Amino acid sequence: MRKLAVLFVCLLCLAACQSDPAPVSFMVFGDAAEFAAYEALVAAFEESQTGVDVTLTHIPSQGDYRTRLATDFAAGTPPDVSLLSYRRFGAFAAADQLEPLGAYLDDSDVIARDDFYPITLDSFTWGGELACIPQNISSLVVYYNRDLFTAAGVPEPADDWTWDDFLAAAQTLTLDLDGDGVTDQYGAGVEASLYRISPFVWQNGGRIVDDPANPSQLGLTREPSLVAFEWFVALQTEHGVVPNREAEASMDSETRFINGTTAMYLNSRRGTPTYRESAAFDWDVAPLPRGTQAAGVLHSDAYCLSAAAANKDAAWEFIEFANSPAGQTIVARSGRTVPSLIAVAESEAFLDPAVRPARSRVFLDTIPDLQMVPLLSTWAEIENTATEEIERAFFGDISAEEAAILARDRTEEYFTLALRP
């Protein structure tokens, strides 16, 4: 009888364990279309097994998401799994707040290092260890309104178009439609930031930092870099093909593009779900116009595991599934990502000809030209501070040269304080 009682208790414990899946928290940002993709991902994962229960938290604003993550990590209560850009994960990795995932990946029977585009793994390597598993590999591209191009008789952008071609198209497509002296349609829209000017600096043979291997200051004051910066600024201050400060404040360029009153908008792949859902016109993508050479800037996010997570193995199960061919296919079909898995990027899940953009292969063809911004623990501060001066130049408050000097001087302390991989 005693043995039967013990056996009964053991069976009850086993049943309790089986009915109580391990909880894993997962936090993401993005608009409704992006969030729907992650809801589908979590649902598919939970259908595939019964041992892990994922709680999904959605922060719509990217800025609010960054603030929330920083606050939660500082308080010791971060989500188990979060999406981080390679531009920003360094601050968390340097503080030992992330669980390295290289060993998990090497032990996986589902995914392997060779499955990924190499630059994505490089961009999340810290201290010789793979810190996070990359989800995507986007470049900056030009989204363009095909209807506006056709109406104006402007040829669609070629794969090898130049800065001059871009400017000429933007000038033709910038229009005062009612003759009141106010621009109603802009040729282009672009965020005035260090991240956005970087590929143009590289295309002109310049550098955004003095030494890419061991950066100690920004390099925008050097002539090839400054010339590219001046070209970028002149789009607004000289040519007026992008909105000025007042126009941008009244309606931002992305909204103008969605509304059909901006012909071209520079963005990464993350804009695709929104444009599919909200743009009531025919649109497509083109590579960045070329300078003296081709160059693009890497956009990549990764699933990162908090070092404070109570159920690391369970969290890894979710990360592994999310980056399996099945998981990446789900998110890729939403349009949100250029998959970091080579096989999924080359599949119809990403290159589906039935959905926009028709020229999705542009994202893959430009991968060999991608470059990374530096991996530094203080890169977010460097980027934000430099962007303040770049915006001032872009909207005509100061010259590009003055902005380059101020950006260099104001960020010097962040370079000094930076921890490096």
Side-chain angles (χ1 to χ4, degrees), residues 114-191:
D114 289 345
D115 297 337
F116 294 84
Y117 287 102
I119 192 173
T120 62
L121 298 180
D122 293 342
S123 67
F124 285 98
T125 297
W126 190 272
E129 295 186 281
L130 184 63
C132 309
I133 305 299
Q135 176 215 53
N136 57 67
I137 176 172
S138 182
S139 52
L140 184 64
V141 299
V142 179
Y143 289 83
Y144 64 97
N145 185 321
R146 298 184 71 190
D147 292 345
L148 293 183
F149 270 71
T150 299
V154 177
E156 293 187 31
D159 288 341
D160 60 349
W161 67 328
T162 66
W163 290 5
D164 289 342
D165 296 331
F166 173 83
L167 177 57
Q171 288 175 315
T172 301
L173 291 160
T174 299
L175 300 172
D176 172 9
L177 298 172
D178 55 13
D180 65 353
V182 177
T183 300
D184 302 298
Q185 175 182 299
Y186 287 93
V190 59
E191 174 188 275

Side-chain angles (χ1 to χ4, degrees), residues 85-92 94 126 193-198 202 207-212 215-220 297-298 372-387 390 411 414-415 417-421:
S85 166
Y86 82 98
R87 297 149 58 204
R88 302 180 184 278
F89 89 100
F92 302 101
W126 190 272
S193 68
L194 180 61
Y195 200 37
R196 287 292 185 258
I197 72 169
S198 293
W202 293 328
R207 296 177 175 180
I208 61 169
V209 292
D210 57 344
D211 180 0
S216 62
Q217 64 178 12
L218 290 176
L220 298 180
V297 60
L298 174 69
M372 293 163 46
V373 298
L375 300 182
L376 299 173
S377 64
T378 57
W379 183 254
E381 290 81 5
I382 292 168
E383 201 172 286
N384 291 341
T385 302
T387 292
I390 289 167
T411 57
Y414 293 124
F415 280 98
L417 297 173
L419 297 177
R420 294 161 169 78

Side-chain angles (χ1 to χ4, degrees), residues 120-339:
T120 62
L121 298 180
D122 293 342
S123 67
F124 285 98
T125 297
W126 190 272
E129 295 186 281
L130 184 63
C132 309
I133 305 299
Q135 176 215 53
N136 57 67
I137 176 172
S138 182
S139 52
L140 184 64
V141 299
V142 179
Y143 289 83
Y144 64 97
N145 185 321
R146 298 184 71 190
D147 292 345
L148 293 183
F149 270 71
T150 299
V154 177
E156 293 187 31
D159 288 341
D160 60 349
W161 67 328
T162 66
W163 290 5
D164 289 342
D165 296 331
F166 173 83
L167 177 57
Q171 288 175 315
T172 301
L173 291 160
T174 299
L175 300 172
D176 172 9
L177 298 172
D178 55 13
D180 65 353
V182 177
T183 300
D184 302 298
Q185 175 182 299
Y186 287 93
V190 59
E191 174 188 275
S193 68
L194 180 61
Y195 200 37
R196 287 292 185 258
I197 72 169
S198 293
F200 297 103
V201 169
W202 293 328
Q203 286 181 10
N204 203 47
R207 296 177 175 180
I208 61 169
V209 292
D210 57 344
D211 180 0
N214 188 29
S216 62
Q217 64 178 12
L218 290 176
L220 298 180
T221 56
R222 302 184 179 196
E223 184 173 342
S225 306
L226 183 58
V227 168
F229 185 15
E230 289 172 335
W231 176 86
F232 185 91
V233 165
L235 294 174
Q236 198 289 120
T237 58
E238 180 180 344
H239 305 295
V241 297
V242 298
N244 61 21
R245 179 182 281 110
E246 292 72 24
E248 187 72 19
S250 67
M251 181 183 295
D252 65 82
S253 287
E254 185 170 28
T255 301
R256 289 177 187 273
F257 178 74
I258 293 169
N259 290 346
T261 56
T262 286
M264 297 181 283
Y265 183 66
L266 278 64
N267 201 359
S268 67
R269 181 71 181 194
R270 73 174 299 264
T272 292
T274 300
Y275 308 154
R276 285 180 180 175
E277 185 176 89
S278 303
F281 52 84
D282 191 10
W283 57 270
D284 214 327
V285 297
L288 289 179
R290 295 172 180 244
T292 59
Q293 60 194 46
V297 60
L298 174 69
H299 292 67
S300 188
D301 305 301
Y303 295 92
C304 300
L305 173 58
S306 167
N311 298 288
K312 290 186 176 64
D313 288 341
W316 167 252
E317 284 187 47
F318 172 66
I319 292 172
E320 183 181 49
F321 177 84
N323 284 292
S324 68
Q328 287 210 3
T329 293
I330 291 169
V331 181
R333 287 198 183 282
S334 75
R336 166 66 178 84
T337 63
V338 181

